[in-house]
Amino acid sequence: MASRTVDVTLLSARDLRDVNLVSKMEVYGVVYLAGDPISRQRVATDRTGGRNPAWNATARVTVPASGSGSGALRVLLRAERPLGDRDVGEVILPLTEILAGAGEEPTEAKLGTYKVRKVGSSKAQGVLHLSYKLGGVIHPPAAPAVVRTGEPAAGYLSAGAAPYAFAPPSPPQHLRYSYPYPCPPPTMTRPLLISSR
């Protein structure tokens, strides 16, 4: 299956939901292909912006070149906290929108402003400014040709090697299911006696 890279640059966010009640938020972003946690790419934490962070950091994710189906890029914004990080919000970018009208060549960066929604909800809280740029389409290498005449493809076997004419002989029956060591003898255990002294 052909693929291509998407460089997502998180520029800044504005008016995010404050998930830290005591201290100033330190927000970072995680970009990945929805449903593929292995593709997660984290951008550096903004330690000074609070509810209005600025990153100008890029994450590269590999996506299917066709964009067919319901695939999407997910940008998850999280706040670092001493007792565990917490979700601030997310932006979902459908692949059909990102790949619309793109040919096989790399594209120029496109800027966009998206509403940040609470994770698992449709409630918007703030906006995210980002840009994305597509890399060229990468086609997988072609499968080796299969020759139907019973001969292997050229270069598969060395010149002196020949394919097997028949299967190697099987071992005698008494050796098929034997083990190198005998089974240990069963052990006898005594019942536990409890004395009432």
Side-chain angles (χ1 to χ4, degrees):
M1 178 167 72
S3 63
R4 68 187 323 160
T5 59
V6 179
D7 292 335
V8 179
T9 303
L10 301 184
L11 301 171
S12 64
R14 188 171 33 91
D15 299 327
L16 294 178
R17 179 174 64 103
D18 194 353
V19 296
N20 286 359
L21 301 176
V22 178
S23 62
K24 193 174 196 178
M25 282 199 315
E26 297 177 350
V27 182
Y28 65 91
V30 180
V31 180
Y32 62 98
L33 184 62
D36 183 15
I38 296 174
S39 67
R40 286 179 181 247
Q41 300 292 319
R42 178 181 167 160
V43 299
T45 304
D46 177 273
R47 304 210 179 271
T48 59
R51 293 184 60 214
N52 302 305
W55 302 279
N56 200 20
T58 302
R60 177 172 284 176
V61 180
T62 302
V63 300
S66 66
S68 61
S70 60
L73 278 181
R74 184 176 184 205
V75 180
L76 179 63
L77 301 179
R78 304 197 76 201
E80 282 187 354
R81 297 175 359 145
L83 299 174
D85 298 353
R86 189 162 179 196
D87 294 342
V88 175
E90 69 180 345
V91 172
I92 305 293
L93 303 168
L95 287 180
T96 53
E97 177 184 321
I98 293 173
L99 300 174
E104 294 208 1
E105 299 299 317
T107 64
E108 294 295 319
K110 294 182 182 179
L111 294 171
T113 300
Y114 299 89
K115 290 182 180 179
V116 177
R117 302 194 184 280
K118 186 176 176 182
V119 176
S121 171
S122 60
K123 182 180 178 185
Q125 181 79 39
V127 293
L128 174 66
H129 304 284
L130 61 81
S131 69
Y132 58 87
K133 177 173 65 169
L134 300 174
V137 174
I138 301 166
H139 295 283
V146 177
V147 179
R148 303 266 179 206
T149 62
E151 295 294 322
Y156 180 70
L157 295 174
S158 63
Y164 287 119
F166 53 87
S170 60
Q173 183 67 28
H174 69 281
L175 294 178
R176 285 188 191 171
Y177 301 107
S178 66
Y179 297 97
Y181 301 105
C183 293
T187 57
M188 299 293 285
T189 59
R190 291 184 181 166
L192 182 62
L193 297 176
I194 301 175
S195 64
S196 58
R197 290 188 206 194

